[in-house]
Amino acid sequence: MSDGFPPIDSYTFLSDTHTAALIAPDGAVEWFCVPRFDGDAVFARLLDRRVGGAFALRVDGDDSPARRYLPDTLVLQTRYAPPGGTAVGHDFLAVAAGDPAHPIRAGQVLVRRITVDSGTVRLRVRLDVRADHGAHPTGWDRPDGPDGHWRAQGTPLLLRTDLPLAADGTALHADLELTAGDTVTLLLGYDADPPAATGLLADTTATWRDWSARGDYTGYGADLVRHSALVLRGLSFDRTGALLAAPTTSLPEEIGGVRNWDYRYTWHRDAALLLLALFRLGHHEEGGRYLRFLIEVCQAPAGTLHPLVGIGGETASDHERILTHLAGYAGSRPVRTGNGAAEQVQFDTYGHVLDAALAFHELTGELAADQWGSLRRHVETIARRWREPDHGVWEIRAPCQHYVNSKVMSWVCLDRGIRLAGLLGDATAPVEAWRREAAELHAEVLDRGYDADVGAFVLAYGSTELDASLLRVPLVGFLPGDDPRMVSTIDRIQERLAIGPGLVRRYTADDGLPGEEGAFLLCCFELVSALVLARRHDAAREIFERLVGHAGPLGLYAEQLAADGTALGNYPQAFTHLALIEAALNLDDARDRDALHAWAERGGRER
């Protein structure tokens, strides 16, 4: 606990692929945005214990109930064992099987159910809705009739329950004793009247398990990979297939600090990782859907690709609003909505998009001519503009620089554009001009991006600072993983950016903000992948196992981790789970190569 706040990674994540809820260890829903992931938070106690509002459900006498997800689902099961009785609770956002366009259909209802198995238990419920991220306490209306419906004023929320609730100011509450066989259900609908409770648990459990069963990966870390894939599916918006970076805003990168950002958007930097993960794990339909979303964004008339967009494909607002009425998680201010990075120039974005498009076409052969036309326009942009400075992948709010990662990913854009033009038979594409630009760019990065005195690729031209994003240099094919320059870069990053075994910061350069960050978990898992490509398989496996041990009790990861193991940043973080999947897949490939090598050393004969 930090100033009364549960650890960030102790929260349970629920999703219906349209919005999300976070439940604290004590059973209170402390974060819930409606009508979709990036909407108004009607429960925001996650960011303020006093005014945030919550949906609390507690069994007296058991302050540490046993929690777990039902296997292969996003359904929380909680077992209570207070003196005198036992009970089991189920919390979930209802889903059902949909149609090909929307394979998982959101029920648009948060379901909270508790059944007493034995003895007697006392249940306490308090429902305190506060609109606009806690700014406005909300009263309740109860229409005439015994149907158990309550409507939260000025919101799309409607509560259905047979529980005898009383209104206390702006909150609803109940305090009652339950005996063996009693079941209490609360259905909180958003943007729709809640349905009857019958069948919701069975349908939701079956829908998630059917989706998980479509995955066909059985290799290294299969259970971890399957769970991470389920988290990513929960972070995918049902209307478009867009991947949400995280369902929260302003969870701090430093407790008490100012590094608090809104992550309820889609970043293109996740594109290729997501596409490859979905296809490698057998979820081809979702991979294709995400690619179509990505291409639609690329077809927008704007000349520059925005680094992030809204989950509906809309241009993300660059206006950051400060919510002064919220004290922030553990006093971490300011609390922000909106993200000012939306209008930054980040040339790495183009590389990620083209990398995803090439992967998609190589896997399916389904990239259409009009889709290629949109992508080709962006390749031509990079061919013209790669010599310019930009804001970089880490969105540092300072004057633009020649970031080495941006140059590498610009090369990726050109390289993938050249390959796609060949695969698609585009005889009009200026491929030879692109090849010249790519060759010049590659040579420039090796000349100006690698500092022999430092012994590493550096953050930006002329800098001696390190940047953990450059662990991706071999992962995108810019250099072989065992190239001496890459191996020495890995060594320097582990020496100078580490805050613990396998835990590396993304950079330590002055970024204009006070304070410092923790280990960036995306980069920690990318260190595993880089070590695999450097043929340091044992070291890679050791770090992977350490990182697995840093997961929260529900198997979820935030963005960062402090040296003492405290989770930091928005949660759950999509790109952390993506990088875990990539690292596991690389370790699996390495295990296969090691087995083949051992077989060859035995003369190619089975023992």
Side-chain angles (χ1 to χ4, degrees):
M1 302 285 285
S2 179
D3 294 334
F5 287 81
I8 288 171
D9 60 357
S10 69
Y11 284 85
T12 304
F13 164 65
L14 305 182
S15 171
D16 61 4
T17 73
H18 196 78
T19 191
L22 296 184
I23 303 182
D26 67 0
V29 179
E30 294 193 355
W31 186 253
F32 188 45
C33 294
V34 295
R36 64 184 206 177
F37 289 111
D38 53 359
D40 173 16
V42 291
F43 302 133
R45 196 164 82 179
L46 177 70
L47 297 177
D48 193 302
R49 310 312 286 170
R50 184 176 58 87
V51 304
F55 185 173
L57 187 153
R58 183 165 61 87
V59 171
D60 277 1
D62 189 350
D63 295 329
S64 301
R67 301 176 298 148
R68 66 162 189 152
Y69 285 118
L70 293 182
D72 295 325
T73 78
L74 293 179
V75 175
L76 174 66
Q77 181 189 77
T78 306
R79 292 198 172 274
Y80 301 93
T86 60
V88 60
H90 292 95
D91 297 285
F92 55 96
L93 280 159
V95 296
D99 53 42
H102 302 99
I104 294 178
R105 180 168 52 83
Q108 297 189 308
V109 58
L110 172 63
V111 182
R112 313 207 68 187
R113 191 179 86 164
I114 186 165
T115 298
V116 180
D117 290 330
S118 66
T120 301
V121 304
R122 178 162 290 278
L123 177 69
R124 299 181 190 271
V125 176
R126 186 173 181 85
L127 185 56
D128 185 10
V129 171
R130 294 173 179 248
D132 194 12
H133 300 84
H136 306 294
T138 299
W140 291 86
D141 294 324
R142 186 169 189 178
D144 293 336
D147 60 2
H149 281 52
W150 294 81
R151 188 175 298 279
Q153 298 168 358
T155 78
L157 298 180
L158 193 147
L159 177 70
R160 170 187 281 184
T161 182
D162 53 4
L163 188 67
L165 294 171
D168 176 12
T170 59
L172 298 178
H173 66 93
D175 181 350
L176 71 161
E177 193 172 84
L178 303 174
T179 59
D182 288 344
T183 294
V184 168
T185 304
L186 297 103
L187 305 169
L188 186 64
Y190 69 90
D191 216 27
D193 288 346
T198 305
L200 290 180
L201 176 60
D203 287 348
T204 298
T205 301
T207 299
W208 285 123
R209 286 179 174 164
D210 287 348
W211 185 85
S212 292
R214 287 164 43 198
D216 54 11
Y217 178 73
T218 58
Y220 186 89
D223 290 344
L224 299 166
V225 167
R226 187 166 57 250
H227 183 56
S228 286
L230 188 65
V231 173
L232 294 174
R233 186 65 185 90
L235 290 170
S236 298
F237 185 45
D238 61 346
R239 296 292 185 262
T240 62
L243 180 69
L244 192 75
T248 57
T249 180
S250 300
L251 289 179
E253 296 171 10
E254 180 185 38
I255 300 297
V258 301
R259 299 168 181 266
N260 316 317
W261 316 107
D262 191 346
Y263 270 27
R264 296 172 299 163
Y265 297 96
T266 291
W267 267 261
H268 297 316
R269 65 188 175 204
D270 302 329
L273 272 178
L274 177 62
L275 199 83
L276 288 168
L278 289 171
F279 274 94
R280 178 73 183 270
L281 302 179
H283 298 295
H284 299 176
E285 184 175 294
E286 282 78 7
R289 193 158 179 253
Y290 178 70
L291 193 281
R292 289 189 291 274
F293 166 79
L294 192 63
I295 297 296
E296 287 176 7
V297 171
C298 291
Q299 290 173 328
T304 302
L305 273 180
H306 296 281
L308 60 140
V309 296
I311 56 175
E314 60 277 318
T315 300
S317 170
D318 64 345
H319 174 66
E320 287 184 356
R321 175 186 169 206
I322 304 298
L323 304 182
T324 57
H325 63 281
L326 293 176
Y329 178 91
S332 306
R333 293 181 174 175
V335 172
R336 296 178 171 94
T337 59
N339 198 305
E343 293 299 323
Q344 284 190 347
V345 176
Q346 297 178 25
F347 289 136
D348 66 285
T349 298
Y350 295 79
H352 292 297
V353 170
L354 266 295
D355 197 25
L358 176 63
F360 174 77
H361 191 68
E362 287 181 332
L363 290 164
T364 69
E366 295 177 1
L367 194 69
D370 63 324
Q371 293 174 325
W372 165 239
S374 300
L375 294 166
R376 172 177 156 169
R377 175 164 55 94
H378 296 302
V379 180
E380 291 166 351
T381 295
I382 288 299
R384 292 194 314 271
R385 298 188 60 188
W386 67 262
R387 295 173 181 82
E388 300 175 20
D390 75 338
H391 291 96
V393 65
W394 301 135
E395 301 172 351
I396 294 174
R397 301 187 181 197
C400 293
Q401 297 189 60
H402 292 282
Y403 290 103
V404 175
N405 174 272
S406 296
K407 304 299 184 185
V408 170
M409 294 308 298
S410 294
W411 175 86
V412 169
C413 176
L414 293 168
D415 176 77
R416 284 18 173 205
I418 292 165
R419 291 159 68 179
L420 277 170
L423 289 171
L424 294 166
D426 184 357
T428 65
V431 170
E432 290 308 315
W434 292 350
R435 283 200 178 96
R436 289 192 297 271
E437 297 295 335
E440 182 180 344
L441 174 51
H442 195 278
E444 181 179 287
V445 170
L446 296 181
D447 179 46
R448 301 181 64 188
Y450 183 84
D451 188 308
D453 293 331
V454 175
F457 287 100
V458 291
L459 178 74
Y461 290 171
S463 172
T464 58
E465 298 284 351
L466 296 179
D467 176 6
S469 74
L470 295 168
L471 291 167
R472 292 205 64 78
V473 165
L475 299 174
V476 297
F478 188 86
L479 283 178
D482 57 357
D483 184 282
R485 290 162 293 194
M486 195 59 232
V487 172
S488 64
T489 297
I490 294 172
D491 290 340
R492 297 296 87 74
I493 285 173
Q494 289 185 283
E495 291 169 7
R496 290 172 46 179
L497 295 184
I499 65 170
L503 299 176
V504 295
R505 293 189 175 98
R506 48 183 174 170
Y507 59 83
T508 55
D510 182 8
D511 58 10
L513 293 172
E516 62 181 23
E517 301 178 344
F520 207 74
L521 289 168
L522 164 73
C523 297
C524 298
F525 280 110
E526 288 183 340
L527 173 61
V528 173
S529 291
L531 285 167
V532 170
L533 297 190
R535 303 186 184 185
R536 296 180 176 180
H537 300 170
D538 290 342
R541 279 189 288 268
E542 180 181 350
I543 291 176
F544 185 86
E545 294 302 326
R546 285 182 179 274
L547 294 174
V548 167
H550 288 303
L554 279 304
L556 304 175
Y557 291 92
E559 180 184 36
Q560 300 181 27
L561 199 73
D564 64 0
T566 300
L568 301 168
N570 286 304
Y571 167 91
Q573 186 69 236
F575 58 53
T576 303
H577 287 273
L578 278 168
L580 180 153
I581 292 172
E582 181 185 40
L585 295 179
N586 281 320
L587 284 167
D588 190 62
D589 289 342
R591 185 171 62 177
D592 289 345
R593 288 194 296 272
D594 289 345
L596 182 62
H597 180 69
W599 178 78
E601 285 190 333
R602 297 195 300 269
R605 296 184 300 275
E606 294 297 333
R607 289 184 180 178

